[in-house]
Structure formats: structure tokens, C-alpha cells
Amino acid sequence: SETLFFEMADRLAEDGWRELGYKYINIDDCWAAKQRDAMGRLVPDPQRFPRGIKALADYVHARGLKLGIYGDLGTFTCGGYPGTTLDLVEQDAQTFAEWGVDMLKLDGCYSSGEEQAEGYPEMARALNATGHPIIYSCSWPAYQGGLPPKVNYTILAEVCNLWRNYDDIQDSWDSVLSILDWFSENQDVLQPAAGPGHWNDPDMLIIGNFGLSYEQSRSQMALWTVMAAPLLMSADLRTISPSAKEILQNPLMIKINQDPLGIQGRRIVKEKSLIEVFLRPLSKAASALVFFSRRTDMPFRYTTSLAKLHFPEDAVYEVQDVYSGKIISVLKTEDSFSVVINPSGVVMWYVYPTVLPAQPWHVVRQQAPG
């Protein structure tokens, strides 16, 4: 009910989330009444949202936050509530704008591929026409299998601000791994599509729920950050554990996730030892490195060098461990180093040059690492 959203807004505003950039409170499916009103407009369920969505938006805005809502391009939403058919796109966009909604997730249940191809761009136009800025999250590619030729990422990036490419996340480590695998295996297609204002969305963070261990929670946070994913939490902030909160509120992690270049990272190494390395280029010639262990037996000592990870020669770096805060002050490209990675865990580094190489890093960065 609306009480949940009022209380969650208070938590975001008062517990340090808002200042880190967690500003959107998003209502998912099943908020609406089962029937539209006499004018054909969407209305919130009168029992669960007695004050209406506008009052909720006002409350959220008064706390320096923004409100998101859910819609579905089809005859019904996935939960069986009124959908937005093509003839209602403009009207529903106007309704959301009048309520003061700041973000729309538009699902695709009960619609055909043809209707989606027409309706998703039409909703983008309709939202823009309201004059009220609304972030637009599309489920369009997820319904088309997520890959070319069915999905045209050039068009998608012009239509939507973020989009769901793949399966819904479940509260389990298997689900996190299946999403990570799909994104890594298809990174040549997905990675170039992301950038400021248009993002791949691997779905929510499940940190603070029930399915992940402490190490797995740290891993999801690091991997989603290196993939430049929108960070949307799904936990109850009224009862969240201190350890989950610490992971989600790591300020260096947030800084890396929100890097202004907006380049999505890639998996650059996949070892027989079940260690994988991910690299995300950042502004000011910095990088984020994630060393990830799929092992389930014991901590693993992984030895490599920045040279082996395709960093330019003759550079000197300072490294900060994102989780421990420890700093390595002089690391040359050719120097060997070791990291100890816990089972299902990560070591994440923020790497920034103190001596720049002869060859500009931005030239190296544009090449797909090996």
C-alpha cells in the first residue's frame, strides 16, 4: 500500500541513501484499480492508494526524491491490471505527467512484436510531449530475445533511457550468475550500446534480501557497477542489515558506477582456474578492475600484472581497493601482483595513473581488450 512507499521515502531521505544518488522510489505492477475510470484513465487502487499517486509524488518530491511507476504496453499488465494499448499511449503519458511521476517502466506483456515496435517509440514521443521530464525504462528488447537482428540497439538508444535485455532477476546466486553470463557472452553487442542517457539494465540488486551470502552480495554490487548498470535496490530499507547497507552505500563504488563517461565494462579474462577479470574504463584515464572467483572451495591467490590486462606500457598507477580502502601507491604496468579472492567473491580495484604512458590511454581504451 501507499504506506510502504511513504515509509521507504523517509528511509531514503534520512538514512544516507539520497546523498549517494539513490533518489528514485519505483512502484511496480499491481498498483492500479482493475478498471479504468469513466474517462478511460488509469486510476490507483482506492483501498491501497487512497490518497492517490499525485499525493505520493508530492510527498516523495518534498524529500528531494523522485517517483517511478509501472505500465505495460498491451491489453493487460503482467499481473492482470489494465494495460496501455496503442490508442491509450498519449493519454497514459499525460496522466503520469499530471501526477508528477519522474520515471516510467513500460513492460510488454499481452502485446505483439508489431505493437511493441510501434508502441515503445510512440510512448517516448508522448512522454516528451508532456513537457515533464520522465525517465523511460523499456522492456522491449527482453521480449525480442535481447539480441540483433531482432533488437536494434541504435534505435533503442534513441528511444529509451534504460532497457531490460534479459530475464527477471530472482533472489538467488544462480540468477545473478545467469544474468552475468548472458551479458558477458554477448558483450560485443551490448557494451557499445550503453552510454550516458541510454543504459543496459541487468535488473535489480538483490543485496539485503535472502538469496545472497555476504561475499555474493559484494560480488553483485561490484559486477553491476562495472557493467554500468542502473542501481535499483529491492530490499526493505526499514530492516536492512548493517552489512548489506555498507555494501550498497560504498561511496567509491557509487562514484565508479556514476562515472561521467558512462562506458560499460567488459570481461577481459576468463581463466581455467574459474577466475574472471572485468575492466571498466573511467574518466581521467582511471579504470575499475574486478577480479571475480566462481570457485566454491576456498580463497584463491590470483597473480597477474596490468601489462597482462592490456594496460599501456611505461605507466605508473595508484590503486585503491574499493571495499577495504587499502592503497597501493606505486604500481608499474609490468609489476606482478597477487589478489586473494574468496569463493563467489570479488576484489575490486580503482586504478588511476600517477605517471601517464607515452601512448594515450583513450586510444588503447577504444580497442576491445583481448
Side-chain angles (χ1 to χ4, degrees), residues 78-98:
C78 301
Y81 291 78
T84 301
T85 46
L86 293 175
D87 56 321
L88 292 168
V89 164
E90 221 164 284
Q91 178 172 295
D92 288 358
Q94 196 57 48
T95 298
F96 296 142
E98 285 167 10

Side-chain angles (χ1 to χ4, degrees), residues 139-152:
S139 296
W140 188 9
Y143 284 90
Q144 303 300 319
L147 296 170
K150 281 193 168 179
V151 177
N152 182 327

Side-chain angles (χ1 to χ4, degrees), residues 20 26 74 76 104 127 198 208 270 335 348 368:
L20 287 165
N26 292 357
F76 298 100
L104 170 66
L127 292 173
H198 46 95
K270 191 179 181 185
D335 292 347
M348 184 171 182

Side-chain angles (χ1 to χ4, degrees), residues 126-154:
L127 292 173
N128 285 337
T130 67
H132 176 68
I134 299 177
I135 296 218
Y136 184 30
S137 169
C138 304
S139 296
W140 188 9
Y143 284 90
Q144 303 300 319
L147 296 170
K150 281 193 168 179
V151 177
N152 182 327
Y153 276 99
T154 308

Side-chain angles (χ1 to χ4, degrees), residues 220-297:
Q220 193 198 9
M221 189 72 179
L223 292 161
W224 260 232
T225 288
V226 92
M227 287 195 290
L231 300 181
L232 294 159
M233 301 185 289
S234 60
D236 188 338
L237 301 181
R238 300 166 299 187
T239 55
I240 192 166
S241 71
S243 63
K245 186 177 176 185
E246 188 180 10
I247 292 167
L248 290 160
Q249 290 196 351
N250 182 304
L252 182 52
M253 185 75 75
I254 302 289
K255 177 185 167 181
I256 292 167
N257 179 261
Q258 306 296 320
D259 185 78
L261 285 183
I263 297 170
Q264 182 171 320
R266 302 169 65 93
R267 184 171 67 191
I268 57 167
V269 175
K270 191 179 181 185
E271 303 279 12
K272 287 193 178 72
S273 59
L274 302 183
I275 303 300
E276 298 178 6
V277 184
F278 294 76
L279 168 73
R280 179 176 174 187
L282 305 171
S283 49
K284 299 180 180 166
S287 305
L289 279 173
V290 173
F291 304 94
F292 171 51
S293 172
R294 288 182 183 252
R295 299 177 72 92
T296 53
D297 53 353

Side-chain angles (χ1 to χ4, degrees), residues 28-29 70-74 77-78 105-109 111 116 120 137-140 143 168:
D28 208 344
D29 197 355
Y70 171 101
D72 185 284
L73 187 73
T77 70
C78 301
K105 178 188 172 178
L106 194 62
D107 217 330
C109 282
S111 61
Q116 290 167 15
Y120 277 105
S137 169
C138 304
S139 296
W140 188 9
Y143 284 90
D168 287 351

